[in-house]
Amino acid sequence: MYPDHLVKEFNDYLKEVMADYGAVPGILKDAMFYCMQDGGKRIRPIFCMLTAISLNKNFKVVLPTACAIEFIHTYSLIHDDLPAIDDDDLRRGRPSCHKAFGEDMAILTGDALFAESFNLIAQRQNAPAEIKVAVIKEIASASGAMGMVAGQFVDVYYSGKKLSKDKLYYMHQNKTGKLIKASIRCGAMICGAKERQLEGLSRFAEKIGLVFQITDDILDVTSDSKKLGKTAGKDSLQDKNTFPKVWGLEQSRQIAGKNIEEAIASLQGLDLNTRPLQEIANFLLVRKV
Ligand code: GRG
């Protein structure tokens, strides 16, 4: 089952954070608020909060970093939807940012959220300075030129071209997996995880990050736009390289299932409260949105 109570806690905290942006000028502010308001699953913040819980800490201690990661994720969706990239009119069940505010504003809104995410950690995250630097480094690396942007590059550059299985893994691990991994690793670092726990959680995170994108690919084929809140069937329309295209639907499901088993196994023997992380890992196999 999805931890809806944590989504509510996160959204309440986000409202408090957004109140800091009252002085942002004109429709840039409207666009930032529009894109950040309730709507997404908040799964990256949830991963971060559940990691705190697995280490027997209060999830509230990681909320600023969880929020910073959601800022980066939202920026990536705004830019991904632009006509020059995926050209999508629908996001989270509403017109995407550039449809509502224009392309110029969508570019600026993404830029603003990206920079403000680091501001948020610097200003609000309560942790020793060396941990804050490590968290910032983790998130910058996960979202940068050898992380999310690298994965997105492969996605864009190889659309309509044949992609090897190795490159498909590389694309998914970078485009989606690394920010998910950062959500878990940052939660662990802030909560004082021991080296061995951090390593185990990182192995868990790599596998579930991959599975999250595999199920995203599967849902694009098997679900519809109304349920997803974004345009279904676009991957094949744009001749994207996806798991169902390269492996077929059934084998994609099997790869996802095997990775979830391995993810859960990597949590054992680490002196963690593993149940919440196991539950969300299993949820990834049955999620409908
Ligand atoms: C420089 C153009 C440019 C891009 C920057 C845009 C970008 C880098 C990266 C995009 C990466 C991207 C869009 C990955 C998709 C990952 C994914 C599965 C998104 C959907 O996430 P959900 O399902 O969405 O968590 P919600 O709406 O629930 O938050």
Side-chain angles (χ1 to χ4, degrees), residues 24-45:
V24 175
I27 62 169
L28 176 62
K29 179 171 103 182
D30 300 341
M32 280 175 72
F33 277 68
Y34 176 87
C35 293
M36 288 312 305
Q37 79 183 40
D38 299 4
K41 291 180 287 299
R42 312 301 197 196
I43 203 159
R44 294 154 191 81

Side-chain angles (χ1 to χ4, degrees), residues 6-25:
L6 292 182
V7 176
K8 185 182 176 314
E9 294 277 358
F10 175 78
N11 284 335
D12 288 348
Y13 179 74
L14 179 64
K15 278 201 188 87
E16 191 188 314
V17 167
M18 293 310 288
D20 287 353
Y21 294 101
V24 175

Side-chain angles (χ1 to χ4, degrees), residues 41 44 73 75-76 80 85 92 152 175-176 212-213:
K41 291 180 287 299
R44 294 154 191 81
H73 166 60
Y75 126 73
S76 83
D80 190 49
I85 307 286
R92 294 176 171 169
Q152 183 73 351
K175 184 174 85 161
T176 311
F212 187 77
Q213 184 59 54

Side-chain angles (χ1 to χ4, degrees), residues 133-151:
V133 171
V135 163
I136 287 171
K137 184 168 172 280
E138 186 78 29
I139 296 173
S141 302
S143 50
M146 286 179 281
M148 184 173 75
V149 177

Side-chain angles (χ1 to χ4, degrees), residues 36-84:
M36 288 312 305
Q37 79 183 40
D38 299 4
K41 291 180 287 299
R42 312 301 197 196
I43 203 159
R44 294 154 191 81
I46 296 296
F47 284 137
C48 190
M49 293 156 85
L50 289 178
T51 303
I53 293 169
S54 79
L55 287 154
N56 296 310
K57 294 279 178 342
N58 190 323
F59 65 82
K60 291 189 178 166
V61 301
V62 301
L63 278 174
T65 294
C67 196
I69 291 171
E70 186 69 8
F71 269 29
I72 292 196
H73 166 60
T74 307
Y75 126 73
S76 83
L77 298 180
I78 296 169
H79 281 195
D80 190 49
D81 289 339
L82 284 167

Side-chain angles (χ1 to χ4, degrees), residues 232-274:
K234 277 205 79 196
D235 291 341
S236 79
L237 264 180
Q238 295 182 331
D239 202 11
K240 292 267 181 192
N241 288 288
T242 65
F243 263 69
K245 183 181 168 195
V246 174
W247 293 93
L249 262 181
E250 206 30 59
Q251 221 176 331
S252 300
R253 287 197 182 101
Q254 280 170 19
I255 295 170
K258 182 169 171 289
N259 273 280
I260 291 297
E261 265 175 35
E262 290 171 1
I264 291 173
S266 54
L267 294 176
Q268 304 313 313
L270 297 175
D271 195 22
L272 294 171
N273 168 17
T274 54

